[in-house]
Amino acid sequence: MARTYKVIDADGHILEPLDLWDRYMDPAYRERAPRLIIGDNGKERLLVEGKILGNPKGLGRLGAVGARDGSVPADTMMYKDGRPGGFDPHERIKDLDLDGIDAAFLYPSIGLFSGAVQDPKLAAAMCRAYNRWLADYCKPYPDRLFGIAMLPMQSVDLAIEEMRFARKQLGMKGGFLRPNPYNGRMANHPDYDPFWAEAQELDFSIGFHEGASGGMPTVGVDRFEGRGARHIISHTMEMMLVALAVIWGGTCERFRRSASVSWSPAAAGSRRGSIGWTATSRTRASTTLVSRRAPASYSGGTAGSRSSRSKARSTCSRTTSAPTRFCGRPTIRTPMGSSPERRR
């Protein structure tokens, strides 16, 4: 009998084991793999391509479940001492059962920094290693743990290759990109059309997930001091901008069958405020169509006409959350502060 899904964590995170790169990465790139180092302030940071990335307060905070209520000393915790379920799927299932969660969609932690890698082939090697490990992590519980593949959009061709591998060889049904510009291009850039066409052909959902201190171009962070404000700005504004890109920019309209584009709930702002901006943005877009010319993808109707406005609303409505594509159509309630990883 098919499993019933009542509560789904749409934005779970794993913790990459420290030996992941040694065990899963192509030997040709292993020496250039990401490494944890101790920064000048004694905190763990990530070193990749000569750049130091991550929260200045230390990567141990990634797995510091309980830090908010003071039960875990996030400022002194080491990365390896993070929540066991981040590293071990069997422990993860215990966490899910504890919180009454039926299934989880899993994103990376350290892997969120992969978008900052400049060398496309190194980025691809990192994605391949991570995706192979993630598939093994999810394998014991295929009806409860759903891995979201990491894709190297530094190169459209390599991203397509990794998407095919994740779908056909690993059985994954979706992948993610950072919402930030890759190579100075937003997600609706014409150069990305082959990627979206392949996602459509593979029936492969694409999600967007922001990551603070991630080494990519990030809107608004130059206007504030301190990680707190930058975190709030990056997670909300970058998701708003990529939503505008793929909806107003016409990607969802040009590739209708691949348009199960999803926003990671936490990255979109649910933990840091609200995703209420989705409703107001939709209203503003629809109103703008009335008073201004429609985007090129809506040129089939007169700008501001009823058909043009309906087309925009329809596109927004089809741009949905990923769980419906993975688990049929369950009743979905994104846990707000209930799952262990969400209590970070």
Side-chain angles (χ1 to χ4, degrees):
M1 188 173 75
R3 186 182 184 90
T4 299
Y5 295 94
K6 294 183 178 179
V7 180
I8 295 175
D9 182 356
D11 184 28
H13 285 264
I14 54 78
L15 294 172
E16 294 89 333
L18 295 176
D19 64 350
L20 183 157
W21 315 109
D22 291 332
R23 292 191 292 131
Y24 285 88
M25 199 166 187
D26 183 336
Y29 295 93
R30 204 168 287 168
E31 290 297 319
R32 301 172 62 196
R35 302 294 178 190
L36 263 64
I37 63 168
I38 303 300
D40 294 339
N41 63 353
K43 303 296 184 182
E44 290 177 307
R45 305 289 298 281
L46 187 71
L47 177 66
V48 58
E49 278 192 327
K51 293 177 288 192
I52 298 177
L53 304 172
N55 188 340
K57 294 184 177 180
L59 292 178
R61 301 177 70 89
L62 291 172
V65 177
R68 291 186 179 184
D69 60 17
S71 61
V72 172
D75 290 337
T76 59
M77 175 177 280
M78 302 295 286
Y79 178 81
K80 64 180 179 60
D81 297 323
R83 185 81 177 186
F87 303 104
D88 183 340
H90 307 296
E91 294 297 321
R92 182 55 160 268
I93 291 298
K94 294 177 183 178
D95 287 338
L96 296 185
D97 290 343
L98 178 66
D99 286 341
I101 297 174
D102 298 305
F105 296 89
L106 301 176
Y107 289 84
S109 292
I110 289 176
L112 288 176
F113 301 115
S114 67
V117 174
Q118 297 297 310
D119 181 352
K121 292 185 178 180
L122 175 59
M126 288 174 56
C127 290
R128 177 63 57 90
Y130 169 78
N131 292 335
R132 290 176 55 226
W133 173 84
L134 183 61
D136 285 347
Y137 178 97
C138 296
K139 190 177 298 183
Y141 305 98
D143 60 341
R144 300 193 67 184
L145 301 179
F146 296 91
I148 306 298
M150 192 162 73
L151 302 175
M153 199 54 129
Q154 290 87 340
S155 162
V156 174
D157 290 341
L158 292 176
I160 290 173
E161 181 180 335
E162 189 59 29
M163 179 164 52
R164 289 171 178 161
F165 177 80
R167 185 73 173 102
K168 296 180 179 181
Q169 303 300 318
L170 301 180
M172 294 180 174
K173 299 180 181 179
F176 86 94
L177 303 171
R178 288 281 299 274
N180 318 67
Y182 289 81
N183 300 319
R185 297 173 294 191
M186 290 296 288
N188 64 311
H189 194 283
D191 288 354
Y192 292 159
D193 280 3
F195 171 85
W196 292 109
E198 186 65 18
Q200 178 171 264
E201 182 66 25
L202 294 171
D203 192 24
F204 196 79
S205 296
I206 299 298
F208 291 96
H209 195 302
E210 175 59 327
S213 306
M216 297 185 74
T218 306
V219 66
V221 297
D222 58 318
R223 303 186 187 186
F224 296 91
E225 296 293 334
R227 187 175 184 275
R230 292 175 175 178
H231 199 227
I232 293 169
I233 289 295
S234 66
H235 277 70
T236 304
M237 297 300 294
E238 284 293 346
M239 300 303 282
M240 293 175 74
L241 292 174
V242 78
L244 182 66
V246 298
I247 297 174
W248 185 262
T251 300
C252 295
E253 186 62 30
R254 295 197 303 276
F255 304 98
R256 298 173 69 91
R257 287 190 293 110
S258 68
S260 180
V261 179
S262 65
W263 330 111
S264 160
S270 65
R271 263 197 317 184
R272 287 100 183 166
S274 171
I275 55 172
W277 59 263
T278 55
T280 56
S281 293
R282 177 180 174 185
T283 299
R284 184 166 177 79
S286 191
T287 302
T288 301
L289 282 169
V290 174
S291 59
R292 302 184 183 183
R293 293 187 62 187
S297 59
Y298 298 149
S299 59
T302 302
S305 69
R306 178 171 297 181
S307 64
S308 190
R309 293 197 303 273
S310 297
K311 211 169 189 181
R313 292 191 188 104
S314 174
T315 299
C316 290
S317 298
R318 289 200 315 275
T319 308
T320 58
S321 184
T324 58
R325 295 286 296 275
F326 282 68
C327 307
R329 293 202 174 272
T331 300
I332 298 171
R333 177 170 63 83
T334 302
M336 299 287 288
S338 61
S339 72
E341 65 274 12
R342 199 163 304 286
R343 289 199 293 265
R344 289 201 298 255

